Amino acid sequence: MLGKIQLAYFPAVFGSEGNLRLDQEIVIYKFTQLAEDITSMTGNNLTPEQVPSSFIGIAVENMANAFKKSASKEVILSVNMYCVVLVV
């Protein structure tokens, strides 16, 4: 829907037998429904394309925050190890 996945190269792993390809029509239909639900529940009028784009934005932000936390812990650990070396 957003053009990030090339349907021709995505494996056929869907369906009850795991042999169906992605169906772009179903994806568009479902995100259209979801956009309508969001609009009716929140009053925020999103297009069907804005819904998955928002999901991606949230995921990227969460991954960046996790990386920041992890990187901060590694820096603190490195500083603590350096201090231990200095004390020894």
Side-chain angles (χ1 to χ4, degrees), residues 63-77:
M63 286 187 287
N65 288 336
F67 179 76
K68 287 176 191 176
K69 287 179 184 178
S70 175
S72 295
K73 288 178 184 177
E74 288 177 16
V75 169
I76 291 169
L77 179 61

Side-chain angles (χ1 to χ4, degrees), residues 1 6 8-9 11 13 17 20 23 26 32 46 52 54 59 66 70 78 85 87:
M1 183 163 183
Q6 300 298 315
Y9 300 109
V13 295
E17 296 180 26
L20 299 178
D23 186 335
I26 291 174
T32 300
L46 298 177
S54 298
S70 175
S78 297
V85 171
V87 171

